[in-house]
Amino acid sequence: MATGVEANIYGALSARLAALVFNPAWPISWPNIDFPGKGPDGKVKPKPPRFLEVNFLPNRTVTRTLSQGRQQHRGIYQVTVHHPSGEESLVNPLQIADRIIAHFPLGLILDQGGIRLKIYRKPYAIPQPPQNGSVTVPVTIGYETYQP
């Protein structure tokens, strides 16, 4: 189990994302883990045409009191939907983004390792123009917690 504040925040958000079930399944590209990995022959597998990519972007810690008090930890957990362009228009990747948004609703409380964090605003998606045969739809999830 993670022990630091940021590690527990990342763990709680990632566990929540991993619990979201798609049919068919969407592979997830996690930070600092080879994706899509190697096949049984030891060769790097090609990236799938549809997948989710996670980026964890903590912001600076802020003290909201005059004394030592609690520190505000805020940041963004971004889940980007990667989808082939030219297939099913923009509707399918936006529907996947909407499922992610619904899975991280405003006010959601997550607990891990003594850390309690809150989704402090409704997540949102901003589709990007197609590039290299793929369309991406980043979903921005804002979180915060107060820790000693």
Side-chain angles (χ1 to χ4, degrees):
M1 175 167 31
T3 57
V5 173
E6 301 299 340
N8 276 302
I9 292 170
Y10 173 75
L13 292 163
S14 296
R16 176 76 179 178
L17 178 63
L20 179 57
V21 177
F22 292 99
N23 189 8
W26 279 61
I28 300 174
S29 173
W30 300 101
N32 204 32
I33 296 177
D34 287 339
F35 180 79
K38 295 181 181 177
D41 58 0
K43 293 183 181 177
V44 175
K45 296 187 278 185
K47 280 190 179 175
R50 294 168 185 80
F51 66 96
L52 304 177
E53 177 185 14
V54 172
N55 285 295
F56 180 60
L57 307 163
N59 202 343
R60 62 190 170 100
T61 304
V62 176
T63 304
R64 294 284 182 199
T65 62
L66 294 176
S67 64
Q68 293 277 323
R70 293 176 130 359
Q71 306 295 310
Q72 180 189 42
H73 294 259
R74 242 185 186 188
I76 293 171
Y77 188 78
Q78 191 170 62
V79 182
T80 302
V81 178
H82 290 261
H83 192 279
S85 60
E87 286 187 20
E88 305 155 19
S89 70
L90 193 55
V91 172
N92 193 35
L94 284 173
Q95 287 176 328
I96 298 299
D98 285 343
R99 294 262 326 267
I100 295 165
I101 290 167
H103 196 64
F104 288 90
L106 169 66
L108 175 69
I109 304 291
L110 299 173
D111 293 294
Q112 181 165 319
I115 304 298
R116 175 170 262 204
L117 67 99
K118 177 181 180 180
I119 305 303
Y120 72 91
R121 69 175 173 200
K122 181 180 179 188
Y124 58 92
I126 302 178
Q128 303 300 300
Q131 196 171 29
N132 300 323
S134 181
V135 65
T136 57
V137 182
V139 176
T140 301
I141 302 162
Y143 68 84
E144 74 178 349
T145 184
Y146 291 86
Q147 299 301 315

